[in-house]
Amino acid sequence: MLGILRQKVGAGSSSAMILGQRICPAASGLRGFASSAKEMTVRDALNSALDEEMSADPKVFLMGEEVGEYQGAYKITKGLLDKYGPDRVLDTPITEAGFTGIGVGAAYYGLRPVIEFMTFNFSMQAIDHIINSAAKSNYMSAGQINVPIVFRGPNGAAAGVGAQHSQCYAAWYAACPGLKVLTPYSSEDARGLLKAAIRDPDPVVFLENELLYGESFPVSAEVLDSSFCLPIGKAKIEREGKDVTITAFSKMVGYSLQAAEILAKEGISAEVINLRSIRPLDRKTINDSVRKTNRLVTVEEGFPQHGVGAEICASVVEDSFGYLDAPVERISGADVPMPYAANLERLAVPQVEDIVRAAKRACYKSSSLAASA
């Protein structure tokens, strides 16, 4: 693998031709979805985005453990090795530090690597390359070096995988200048944000959720178009409301929407914001919503201390304090390593009823959960 990249980088040809010498012919960027298709899984959305971007740009290539022959640990890269060949879909040894460093070096030379971590917990082995090499090089070179690389894979809690495979890294990476951090929820998010990440000139940390891969979401013809792309740094209001603002990202968006349904039955109109982007954070959409509802509940799976919710609360207190009619509420994972036992694991991550209770507290309503029974 290292020899292949060394040959390509040392060839002296243009970036577009470095990979073009040895790749399989690319098919059209448009996939053959039937015009009547109305739903798509997150897994297929990610796969189609990778396929279309690899087809459109020969500088895009994939690298990671089991991304090729095994077609991805979660089948996100299914079919791509057969289509684009082993020079653009590279299986690696179990050495995150090694293949991440190679990817960053390839990005220095104008290629567009997409690095897959089997779980973002394993990105700790490569964090020096992500933070010190990828994130800081543009600034330290006075803008002379761009690092167009995507680090993607499942993030946060799955089910029964213990403390070392369940951590959310949104707050970790969002604390670092030079990185962009994206957190898709739906199939629309997955397609549009991954395409934006691959096209971006800067390093992007793309935090997926393993439990969402098999979930299906409605998609429009616009979303299925190969030119579809979502803006980085822009949140989406998934449900409009007037009584309380609920911010969430990734899997917690679904929980928040379920909570909003329960709250509606009790006369509370909740506005649910899908953050989509953690860095940059869409502070305007959040603050505009709080100035309308006068209440805020933040929801995340990560640890409470120094979390994404803490940053959102600080932003609202700084910019919209005079509009608040109640203390802000933070819902997060428990401040403990993830338990392995299923009953304790459920207690350690936010549940729909936790969001309902917090919204009711913010609205000074009874905390009865009769409507959710």
Side-chain angles (χ1 to χ4, degrees):
M1 178 180 62
L2 179 59
I4 292 173
L5 284 175
R6 187 180 291 119
Q7 292 168 16
K8 297 178 186 305
V9 170
S13 58
S14 70
S15 297
M17 292 303 296
I18 288 173
L19 287 173
Q21 296 170 356
R22 299 183 62 183
I23 62 173
C24 299
S28 168
L30 276 173
R31 291 168 60 85
F33 293 111
S35 59
S36 60
K38 295 182 180 180
E39 289 203 343
M40 183 183 231
T41 65
V42 171
R43 176 181 290 107
D44 288 342
L46 293 167
N47 177 267
S48 65
L50 289 170
D51 186 7
E52 290 167 10
E53 293 306 300
M54 292 182 75
S55 177
D57 187 348
K59 298 189 294 296
V60 178
F61 71 98
L62 314 181
M63 185 186 298
E65 297 156 5
E66 299 185 346
V67 298
E69 295 289 346
Y70 191 67
Q71 312 217 41
Y74 304 98
K75 307 309 176 194
I76 305 300
T77 54
K78 183 178 181 180
L80 300 182
L81 174 63
D82 291 340
K83 187 169 184 179
Y84 298 103
D87 284 355
R88 295 184 67 191
V89 182
L90 286 83
D91 278 321
T92 69
I94 303 175
T95 170
E96 284 79 11
F99 64 75
T100 303
I102 291 171
V104 172
Y108 284 169
Y109 277 85
L111 303 184
R112 292 184 174 272
V114 179
I115 304 299
E116 176 177 312
F117 297 118
M118 200 174 291
T119 162
F120 256 92
N121 297 271
F122 300 160
S123 74
M124 294 294 92
Q125 302 292 326
I127 198 167
D128 181 57
H129 294 301
I130 298 170
I131 301 298
N132 281 328
S133 298
K136 298 177 182 177
S137 290
N138 184 259
Y139 174 82
M140 294 179 70
S141 68
Q144 297 180 78
I145 299 176
N146 287 107
V147 191
I149 187 170
V150 177
F151 306 101
R152 56 153 296 271
N155 170 71
V161 293
Q164 294 176 329
H165 296 75
S166 300
Q167 190 163 322
C168 175
Y169 288 92
W172 280 57
Y173 287 115
C176 183
L179 290 178
K180 296 174 182 176
V181 181
L182 305 181
T183 54
Y185 160 62
S186 65
S187 300
E188 176 182 319
D189 293 353
R191 262 182 70 79
L193 291 176
L194 185 53
K195 283 172 164 285
I198 293 171
R199 298 174 190 179
D200 200 88
D202 298 313
V204 179
V205 172
F206 197 84
L207 303 174
E208 301 154 13
N209 185 283
E210 178 184 339
L211 298 180
L212 288 175
Y213 285 149
E215 293 287 325
S216 294
F217 293 88
V219 289
S220 65
E222 177 189 4
V223 172
L224 294 176
D225 190 275
S226 62
S227 63
F228 177 70
C229 189
L230 287 172
I232 292 176
K234 181 63 178 173
K236 178 185 179 183
I237 298 176
E238 296 280 356
R239 179 187 178 115
E240 293 191 353
K242 59 183 178 63
D243 295 328
V244 59
T245 296
I246 303 175
T247 65
F249 60 92
S250 191
K251 190 172 185 291
M252 290 296 106
V253 176
Y255 280 23
S256 297
L257 290 170
Q258 292 178 50
E261 290 286 344
I262 295 171
L263 291 166
K265 294 175 183 177
E266 301 195 23
I268 297 174
S269 174
E271 181 150 292
V272 178
I273 297 177
N274 173 5
L275 296 175
R276 283 183 167 172
S277 176
I278 307 300
R279 186 182 185 104
L281 185 65
D282 189 355
R283 300 172 192 272
K284 182 180 186 304
T285 293
I286 296 167
N287 279 279
D288 285 350
S289 177
V290 170
R291 293 181 183 193
K292 176 178 68 173
T293 67
N294 311 116
R295 295 170 176 85
L296 172 66
V297 176
T298 70
V299 187
E300 64 185 308
E301 279 190 354
F303 300 134
Q305 188 159 320
H306 310 302
V308 174
E311 178 65 23
I312 292 171
C313 290
S315 175
V316 167
V317 168
E318 290 168 358
D319 298 336
S320 304
F321 180 75
Y323 292 85
L324 289 171
D325 288 343
V328 295
E329 295 275 353
R330 282 196 297 154
I331 302 297
S332 71
D335 197 22
V336 296
M338 181 64 71
Y340 177 73
N343 59 331
L344 296 179
E345 181 183 66
R346 188 180 190 282
L347 293 173
V349 296
Q351 303 297 326
V352 173
E353 54 264 31
D354 298 322
I355 305 170
V356 172
R357 278 194 291 264
K360 285 185 168 186
R361 286 195 300 267
C363 294
Y364 301 109
K365 300 282 188 178
S366 166
S367 60
S368 169
L369 288 174
S372 65

